[in-house]
């Protein structure tokens, strides 16, 4: 009998090992998840904020590809389920009921609050910006909050063209509209007009940040089945974490509950309130998931309610270096009682650019002392980077910053606001800009463009463009790095085909500010020759009239509807109408 038990256990172990589920992901999704790293100099970060350029996090959205099986084995093996059923049956016969647990409480709350989200999305092609990639279907989770709104993840509805929601116990899917999206914080708000949908639905209340080792239950619709699922775990860590979708750092809560594809957007419930929103897991590790804490959720919701749209998270616009070395502190005349971080870069577009200076030492933020490693006190014997204090400020709100400059202490009031990097980190829910002239395809440099080089884009994309995307700061508002992405071959551009992937610096001697400016300079050219100055001292010279004629032929040959992207065309038409009105 004992031998038979050993054999049964061994059989269960083998079945469990062979029944591991694999994530359903599409190549386009992997390009977003893997390798998404961003050096964000406009945020207050220490130099070791991103130790590697390869992201270790993965989305928890379930993607259905037409060429892949929709369902995979994610539940326990049949023999294991039968074994568990015998346990439950014996317990019921003995008159015992399972004790109350966070998971059972979460189920009661979630049945009338958590919904399944079905999204149809289409991502643009950044190599061929005039067309889209193939349509993709995905599934996620969401939950109802007050005001008849549904909270979910931004990556669940990113690049959406059609969104449906279904409540628990119903077979009917209802059309949903995306009211607001915050890609940096990976949150979105959906609204449903159908009165039938709201019958019997209850809203969930947002709670506080849970303490370490507090129990939470993650509720959602992960892959492996169609019904609602509950997994429970405890809080392991609370600290700023890289958000894969927005490639930024905000506070996150690490839990040991399983967060799988399809869980995205589902609530993590503690007691009878929401402790966070499930959004990503740590690839290569077991049962390490991350949820978005309620302060980030409330900041997002309040911003949308106050301004009518997503406004972003504030930044002071400086990059800082830790001052843990005693010799470094002595060089900047810090006393033994002083602690702080050294200002290494300042964003020219920030308010701090006119107040702070390179080599200033930031000692305190809003009266909170900053340690030499860049952290501030957080709750009971916990610490967190002071960037969290900055990100929780409202736009145009001021902060009192105490600094040490040349051995003397100063206090300054600095206005905070959201800042955009020189090279955009993401371009969700919008079509890429482009301009085609004489077969040269001009586009602004973005990280999504670099992601088209594959999962290992950091190593396979053009090195110079990659370095500029990750490190360069904007010098003025509206600045873009305009590049020649490719050359559509024609007699007019023969010999120039190797000049792709180079930045355009000047048009007829005038420095290029952005793609719209380049378009204006070329369209308004009044000379016989058109000259473009590129990187590496490369030069393109074209006969302007011949190039205009060739452009129409090239567009027809490649079946391109327009030489100008829709956003530039709208701006161009608006400028023309304004000029006509002024002339009248």
């Amino acid at each position: 009998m004992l031998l038979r038990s050993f054999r049964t256990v061994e059989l269960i172990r083998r079945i469990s090992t062979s029944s591991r589920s694999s994530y359903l992901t599409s190549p386009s999704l992997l390009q977003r998840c893997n390798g998404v790293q961003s050096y964000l100099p406009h945020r207050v970060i220490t130099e070791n904020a991103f130790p590697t350029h390869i992201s270790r996090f993965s989305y928890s959205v379930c993607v259905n590809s037409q060429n892949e099986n929709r369902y995979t084995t994610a539940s326990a093996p049949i023999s294991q389920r039968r074994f568990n059923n015998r346990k439950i049956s014996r317990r019921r016969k003995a008159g015992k009921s399972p004790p109350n647990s966070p998971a059972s409480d979460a189920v009661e709350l979630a049945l009338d609050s958590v919904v399944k989200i079905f999204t149809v999305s289409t991502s643009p092609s950044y190599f061929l910006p005039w067309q889209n990639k193939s349509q993709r279907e995905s599934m996620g989770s969401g939950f109802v909050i007050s005001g008849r709104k549904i909270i979910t993840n931004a990556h669940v509805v990113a690049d959406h063209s059609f969104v449906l929601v279904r409540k628990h116990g119903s077979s009917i899917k209802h059309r949903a509209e995306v009211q607001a999206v915050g890609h940096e914080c990976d949150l979105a708000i959906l609204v449903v007009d159908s009165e039938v949908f709201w019958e019997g639905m209850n809203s969930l209340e947002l709670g506080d940040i849970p303490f370490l080792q507090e129990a939470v239950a993650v509720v959602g619709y992960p892959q492996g089945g169609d019904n609602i699922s509950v997994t429970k775990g405890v809080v392991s860590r609370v600290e700023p974490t890289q958000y894969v979708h927005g490639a930024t750092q905000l506070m996150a809560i690490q839990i040991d509950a399983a967060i799988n594809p399809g869980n995205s957007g589902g609530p993590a419930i503690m007691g009878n309130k929401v402790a966070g929103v499930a959004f990503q897991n740590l690839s290569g590790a077991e049962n390490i998931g991350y949820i978005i804490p309620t302060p980030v959720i409330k900041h997002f919701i309040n911003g949308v309610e106050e301004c009518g749209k997503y406004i972003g998270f504030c930044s002071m616009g400086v990059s800082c270096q830790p001052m843990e070395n005693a010799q470094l502190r002595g060089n900047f005349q810090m006393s033994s009682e002083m602690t702080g971080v050294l200002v290494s870069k300042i964003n020219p577009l920030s308010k701090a650019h006119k107040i702070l200076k390179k080599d200033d030492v930031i000692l305190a933020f809003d009266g909170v002392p900053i340690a030499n490693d860049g952290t501030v006190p957080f709750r009971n014997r916990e610490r967190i980077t002071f960037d969290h204090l900055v990100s929780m400020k409202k736009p145009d709100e001021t902060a009192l910053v105490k600094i040490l400059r040349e051995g003397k202490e100063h206090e300054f009031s600095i206005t905070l606001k959201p800042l955009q990097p020189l090279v955009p980190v993401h371009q969700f829910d919008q079509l890429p800009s482009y301009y085609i002239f004489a077969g040269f395809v001009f586009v602004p440099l973005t990280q999504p463009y670099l992601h088209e080089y594959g999962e290992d884009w950091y190593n396979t994309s053009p090195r110079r463009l990659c370095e500029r995307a990750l490190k360069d700061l904007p010098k003025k508002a509206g600045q873009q790095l305009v590049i020649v992405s490719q050359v559509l071959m024609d007699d007019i551009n023969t010999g120039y085909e190797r000049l792709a992937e180079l930045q355009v610096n000047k048009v007829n001697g005038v420095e290029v500010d952005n793609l719209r400016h380049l378009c204006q300079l070329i369209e308004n050219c009044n000379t016989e020759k058109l000259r473009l100055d590129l990187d590496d001292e490369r030069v393109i010279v074209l006969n302007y009239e011949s190039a205009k004629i060739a452009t129409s032929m090239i567009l027809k040959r490649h079946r391109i509807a327009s030489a100008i992207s829709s956003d530039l065309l709208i701006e161009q038409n608006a400028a023309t109408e304004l000029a006509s009105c002024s002339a009248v």
Side-chain angles (χ1 to χ4, degrees):
M1 187 67 180
L2 184 61
L3 180 59
R4 184 177 178 181
S5 300
F6 281 140
R7 288 175 177 173
T8 303
V9 172
E10 178 64 15
L11 178 60
I12 292 174
R13 186 190 67 79
R14 290 179 180 177
I15 295 176
S16 300
T17 304
S18 63
S19 301
R20 293 176 182 172
S21 60
S22 58
Y23 288 170
L24 297 178
T25 52
S26 64
S28 58
L29 183 66
L30 287 174
Q31 290 174 9
R32 290 188 185 175
C33 304
N34 299 327
V36 180
Q37 181 269 351
S38 172
Y39 178 86
L40 297 176
H42 63 284
R43 282 206 167 273
V44 184
I45 57 174
T46 56
E47 291 189 348
N48 59 352
F50 300 113
T52 174
H53 64 272
I54 300 299
S55 172
R56 298 172 297 154
F57 300 103
S58 300
Y59 285 128
S60 51
V61 65
C62 182
V63 177
N64 291 332
S65 174
Q66 296 178 356
N67 298 325
E68 295 171 326
N69 295 326
R70 183 171 181 179
Y71 301 103
T72 57
T73 305
S75 57
I78 294 176
S79 57
Q80 184 68 46
R81 290 204 298 268
R82 289 174 179 169
F83 181 71
N84 292 336
N85 287 339
R86 293 192 195 103
K87 279 187 176 181
I88 295 172
S89 299
R90 286 195 293 267
R91 186 189 301 156
R92 287 175 178 170
K93 289 178 181 179
K96 297 180 180 179
S97 59
N100 293 332
S101 64
S104 60
D105 295 339
V107 171
E108 295 300 322
L109 284 171
L111 291 181
D112 297 326
S113 303
V114 180
V115 299
K116 189 170 186 176
I117 300 174
F118 305 84
T119 304
V120 178
S121 57
T122 306
S123 302
S125 169
Y126 290 90
F127 280 168
L128 303 173
W130 50 86
Q131 67 183 35
N132 288 332
K133 297 177 181 177
S134 59
Q135 183 174 279
R136 186 179 72 249
E137 296 180 3
S138 61
M139 293 182 295
S141 306
F143 63 95
V144 176
I145 61 172
S146 60
R148 286 194 167 189
K149 297 175 182 177
I150 298 173
I151 289 289
T152 186
N153 284 142
H155 71 258
V156 172
V157 295
D159 294 325
H160 68 278
S161 56
F162 198 75
V163 180
L164 296 171
V165 297
R166 190 189 70 195
K167 58 183 181 180
H168 174 69
S170 174
S171 61
I172 302 174
K173 299 176 183 177
H174 301 268
R175 179 71 183 275
E177 297 293 336
V178 180
Q179 184 186 65
V181 179
H183 292 290
E184 286 81 6
C185 58
D186 202 358
L187 290 170
I189 297 176
L190 309 183
V191 292
V192 180
D193 292 333
S194 173
E195 290 295 330
V196 176
F197 171 80
W198 293 107
E199 291 179 1
M201 295 295 287
N202 297 323
S203 61
L204 293 178
E205 185 180 350
L206 299 179
D208 299 321
I209 302 175
F211 287 93
L212 299 181
Q213 290 301 305
E214 280 200 277
V216 296
V218 178
V219 186
Y221 292 87
Q223 67 176 23
D226 195 43
N227 287 329
I228 200 166
S229 169
V230 180
T231 56
K232 60 181 180 179
V234 297
V235 175
S236 307
R237 185 180 294 151
V238 180
E239 65 180 4
T241 303
Q242 183 185 1
Y243 282 39
V244 174
H245 182 69
T248 188
Q249 274 208 332
L250 293 171
M251 178 186 285
I253 301 173
Q254 179 184 320
I255 60 176
D256 66 356
I259 295 179
N260 295 314
N263 269 127
S264 286
I269 298 177
M270 180 183 65
N272 60 351
K273 294 184 179 181
V274 174
V277 178
F279 75 115
Q280 67 187 30
N281 58 24
L282 186 63
S283 59
E286 293 184 1
N287 294 340
I288 296 182
Y290 293 85
I291 61 176
I292 302 171
T294 51
V296 177
I297 303 171
K298 292 176 181 177
H299 187 280
F300 166 71
I301 295 174
N302 293 338
V304 172
E305 291 177 348
E306 293 175 5
C307 302
K309 61 179 182 179
Y310 172 70
I311 51 177
F313 287 75
C314 285
S315 168
M316 197 160 67
V318 299
S319 295
C320 299
Q321 174 185 343
M323 300 199 70
E324 298 175 288
N325 185 277
Q327 299 171 84
L328 181 65
R329 295 194 298 271
N331 182 71
F332 289 94
Q333 305 177 45
M334 293 179 65
S335 64
S336 57
E337 296 82 15
M338 289 182 178
T339 60
V341 290
L342 182 68
V343 175
S344 55
K345 284 184 180 181
I346 307 175
N347 191 321
L349 302 185
S350 68
K351 297 294 184 180
H353 186 258
K354 297 180 180 179
I355 300 175
L356 300 182
K357 296 181 179 179
K358 189 178 184 301
D359 291 345
D360 282 347
V361 179
I362 302 179
L363 303 176
F365 182 87
D366 270 348
V368 181
I370 301 173
N372 291 324
D373 61 352
T375 61
V376 294
F378 175 69
R379 302 196 307 190
N380 182 29
R381 299 176 64 185
E382 295 179 68
R383 301 193 68 84
I384 194 170
T385 58
F386 86 100
D387 186 34
H388 172 67
L389 303 180
V390 179
S391 63
M392 289 295 103
K393 289 282 190 177
K394 294 182 179 180
D396 298 324
E397 192 175 354
T398 59
L400 187 64
V401 179
K402 183 178 180 181
I403 68 164
L404 180 69
R405 179 182 295 169
E406 297 177 352
K408 297 181 180 179
E409 295 185 19
H410 303 272
E411 283 190 342
F412 297 109
S413 180
I414 299 178
T415 303
L416 305 176
K417 64 178 183 178
L419 295 173
Q420 299 300 323
L422 174 62
V423 177
V425 177
H426 54 76
Q427 294 272 275
F428 298 111
D429 304 322
Q430 58 181 306
L431 296 174
S433 301
Y434 71 90
Y435 174 62
I436 302 174
F437 186 77
F440 296 95
V441 181
F442 302 99
V443 300
L445 179 62
T446 62
Q447 282 203 29
Y449 172 84
L450 297 176
H451 297 165
E452 295 280 19
Y453 285 89
E455 295 180 27
D456 195 23
W457 62 270
Y458 184 84
N459 294 315
T460 57
S461 61
R463 175 54 49 189
R464 181 179 301 175
L465 297 182
C466 188
E467 291 296 326
R468 289 177 179 174
L470 299 178
K471 295 184 178 180
D472 282 7
L473 294 173
K475 297 179 181 178
K476 50 187 174 182
Q479 183 183 2
Q480 291 177 326
L481 300 183
V482 181
I483 64 172
V484 179
S485 67
Q486 62 176 305
V487 181
L488 305 176
M489 288 305 301
D490 187 77
D491 292 337
I492 194 71
N493 54 42
T494 301
Y496 292 143
E497 59 271 12
R498 296 185 179 180
L499 299 184
E501 300 174 346
L502 292 178
Q503 181 182 345
V504 183
N505 297 320
K506 296 180 180 179
V507 175
N508 285 341
V510 180
E511 289 191 4
V512 175
D513 293 335
N514 48 48
L515 183 60
R516 179 175 57 84
H517 187 215
L518 177 137
C519 180
Q520 292 174 348
L521 291 175
I522 295 179
E523 292 293 319
N524 298 330
C525 177
N526 55 10
T527 59
E528 181 183 356
K529 301 291 185 182
L530 176 70
R531 172 173 173 149
L532 306 177
D533 290 273
L534 313 179
D535 275 343
D536 292 337
E537 306 299 328
R538 304 293 182 178
V539 177
I540 295 174
V541 178
L542 300 168
N543 181 285
Y544 185 66
E545 293 300 326
S546 299
K548 288 180 65 177
I549 296 172
T551 299
S552 60
M553 298 298 296
I554 294 171
L555 294 177
K556 184 177 180 180
R557 186 183 308 137
H558 290 270
R559 301 180 182 89
I560 302 174
S562 175
I564 306 176
S565 58
S566 57
D567 58 325
L568 297 180
L569 197 57
I570 292 172
E571 293 177 1
Q572 191 180 61
N573 293 338
T576 303
E577 290 177 4
L578 183 62
S580 300
C581 293
S582 301
V584 173

